[in-house]
Amino acid sequence: GQTYKHFKTGGVYLVTAVGLNEPDLEPLVHYRDAEDPYAIIWTRQLHVFTGKALDGETLVQRFVQIG
């Protein structure tokens, strides 16, 4: 999987899978802390994961690919 850095926490996350939500086939991203193979798996809608977020008054990428 690819690694991404979160804009707010600075955490580095490993994308473990991209899947589809069964009822509506919406794309989902599954990811976890890159350093801990036993970490909780988090899930976000693909458009949210790849989208922008406010950092103060500035719009920035929510996750930036770093590896």
Side-chain angles (χ1 to χ4, degrees):
Q2 301 292 324
T3 52
Y4 292 81
K5 186 173 184 177
H6 188 265
F7 84 100
K8 189 185 301 183
T9 66
V12 176
Y13 297 92
L14 176 70
V15 171
T16 59
V18 176
L20 297 174
N21 190 30
E22 188 271 329
D24 58 8
L25 302 180
E26 181 173 18
L28 302 172
V29 177
H30 307 282
Y31 62 98
R32 65 164 172 82
D33 184 310
E35 300 298 316
D36 182 359
Y38 302 105
I40 291 171
I41 301 289
W42 297 94
T43 301
R44 285 188 193 246
Q45 298 160 312
L46 179 63
H47 77 274
V48 174
F49 188 90
T50 60
K52 296 185 184 250
L54 279 176
D55 187 9
E57 294 184 19
T58 306
L59 208 54
V60 298
Q61 285 298 129
R62 185 179 307 277
F63 288 90
V64 176
Q65 186 174 348
I66 58 172

